[in-house]
Amino acid sequence: QVQLVESGGGLVQAGGSLRLSCTTSGRTFNSLGLGWFRQAPGKEREFVSAINRNGDNTLYRDALKGRFTISRDNAKNTVYLQMNSLKPEDTAVYYCAACYSCISYYKSSYDQWGPGTQVTVSS
């Protein structure tokens, strides 16, 4: 079982930046594909970005390309989501998710989830 814990959320003005982190427990981090999803109030949880186990393949939601960057540090068991030029519509709870040896756009591919971190972007 992998435990995931997100951090780095908060309140930021439009145009600002935040870096989210997701740290995992266990010894299998190098085997994990990792994804970020978000859920705004009253909306479905949606895909944001994903990275494969080696960090050499990434996926992004089309609308977020160029503003968000995913990366990982296998030595620190941590995956990051750098979010720049934030907009009020980026306001959501951001979730980290893990799957074994996969990279995917789909929630159903991930079997471990963190509790989420709130990101609020004010206009």
Side-chain angles (χ1 to χ4, degrees):
Q1 191 87 2
V2 174
Q3 305 292 328
L4 306 171
V5 179
E6 304 93 339
S7 62
L11 175 64
V12 63
Q13 288 189 330
S17 297
L18 283 174
R19 188 177 78 158
L20 305 183
S21 300
C22 173
T23 301
T24 71
S25 63
R27 302 178 181 178
T28 59
F29 186 81
N30 290 357
S31 299
L32 298 176
L34 295 154
W36 287 98
F37 291 77
R38 67 185 184 184
Q39 188 166 16
K43 294 189 176 181
E44 294 286 324
R45 191 170 299 188
E46 65 181 20
F47 173 77
V48 173
S49 185
I51 190 166
N52 70 338
R53 55 186 291 182
N54 296 323
D56 59 1
N57 190 15
T58 57
L59 302 174
Y60 292 95
R61 188 175 190 82
D62 284 346
L64 302 177
K65 287 179 181 178
R67 293 199 298 124
F68 288 18
T69 303
I70 192 170
S71 62
R72 65 189 293 161
D73 185 338
N74 285 356
K76 295 183 178 179
N77 283 15
T78 301
V79 61
Y80 303 98
L81 184 69
Q82 178 68 43
M83 305 185 297
N84 298 329
S85 302
L86 283 162
K87 304 175 181 180
E89 52 263 43
D90 294 318
T91 295
V93 177
Y94 283 71
Y95 297 91
C96 177
C99 59
Y100 282 93
S101 297
C102 87
I103 180 170
S104 174
Y105 294 98
Y106 303 106
K107 294 188 295 290
S108 59
S109 298
Y110 298 86
D111 50 13
Q112 303 292 335
W113 292 81
T117 186
Q118 176 71 47
V119 171
T120 303
V121 184
S122 64
S123 57

